[in-house]
Amino acid sequence: MPVIRFVREGRDVECYPGENLREVALREGIELYGLKGKLGNCGGCGQCITCFVDVEGAPDAALTAPTAVEVQKLRRRPQGWRLACQALVQQSLAVVTRPQAGLADRDALLAEALSRPLPPGPLAWPTPVEAEPEDPEAGVEAGGTTTSDEANAEAPQGR
Ligand code: FES
């Protein structure tokens, strides 16, 4: 499972691959929003641009590619910033929440966070398990009797 290393909070949080970064943070009680976002945010629609995170140093594949709305909304923000509500976690990464608020010793904290190993998370998405082909003998129990489902299906309908 991928691990999100929240640098400001000093916490590592596991999540499922494909989970939304904003939802993981909120579930874990991580404060994503500054004052403006606390007073009112869009609930994860990509419209309020208050859920900034800085993912500088993260592998490109750690998050899904920026969405079109995210590219448009972040065009004047530093490279490495993402909108947490638009990013799905694919691999482990370190994240600085509320980068707009500043963080004393940010560079040192981020370097330290990136120096400690993180599990890579899944290297590939799980492939769906193929369903077994239907067995025509399925449902016929030993001795040639049928299951109750088949008996019900064969029972006369009506009345
Ligand atoms: S929560 Fe509004 S843009 Fe992310």
Side-chain angles (χ1 to χ4, degrees), residues 5-7 10 94 105-117:
R5 179 162 289 157
F6 290 99
V7 176
D105 295 333
R106 174 216 175 261
D107 292 344
L109 288 171
L110 185 57
E112 190 278 328
L114 293 171
S115 71
R116 287 183 284 130

Side-chain angles (χ1 to χ4, degrees), residues 22 33 41-51 83-86:
R22 174 184 179 269
Y33 296 107
N41 64 72
C42 69
C45 300
Q47 296 304 308
C48 67
I49 52 170
T50 58
C51 62
L83 294 177
C85 70
Q86 301 295 299

Side-chain angles (χ1 to χ4, degrees), residues 85-118:
C85 70
Q86 301 295 299
L88 306 182
V89 180
Q90 300 184 122
Q91 294 178 6
S92 298
L93 76 160
V95 167
V96 177
T97 55
R98 292 172 282 135
Q100 73 277 20
L103 176 62
D105 295 333
R106 174 216 175 261
D107 292 344
L109 288 171
L110 185 57
E112 190 278 328
L114 293 171
S115 71
R116 287 183 284 130
L118 282 163

Side-chain angles (χ1 to χ4, degrees), residues 22-105:
R22 174 184 179 269
E23 290 174 11
V24 174
L26 295 181
R27 181 183 70 220
E28 295 293 327
I30 303 281
E31 186 55 69
L32 267 184
Y33 296 107
L35 180 61
K36 183 182 166 195
K38 283 183 197 167
L39 293 174
N41 64 72
C42 69
C45 300
Q47 296 304 308
C48 67
I49 52 170
T50 58
C51 62
F52 298 118
V53 290
D54 183 352
V55 298
E56 181 185 325
D60 286 344
L63 297 173
T64 48
T67 61
V69 70
E70 196 177 6
V71 168
Q72 198 263 333
K73 299 280 187 187
L74 292 178
R75 66 184 185 276
R76 292 194 195 121
R77 302 290 177 177
Q79 205 164 21
W81 284 24
R82 296 288 306 267
L83 294 177
C85 70
Q86 301 295 299
L88 306 182
V89 180
Q90 300 184 122
Q91 294 178 6
S92 298
L93 76 160
V95 167
V96 177
T97 55
R98 292 172 282 135
Q100 73 277 20
L103 176 62
D105 295 333

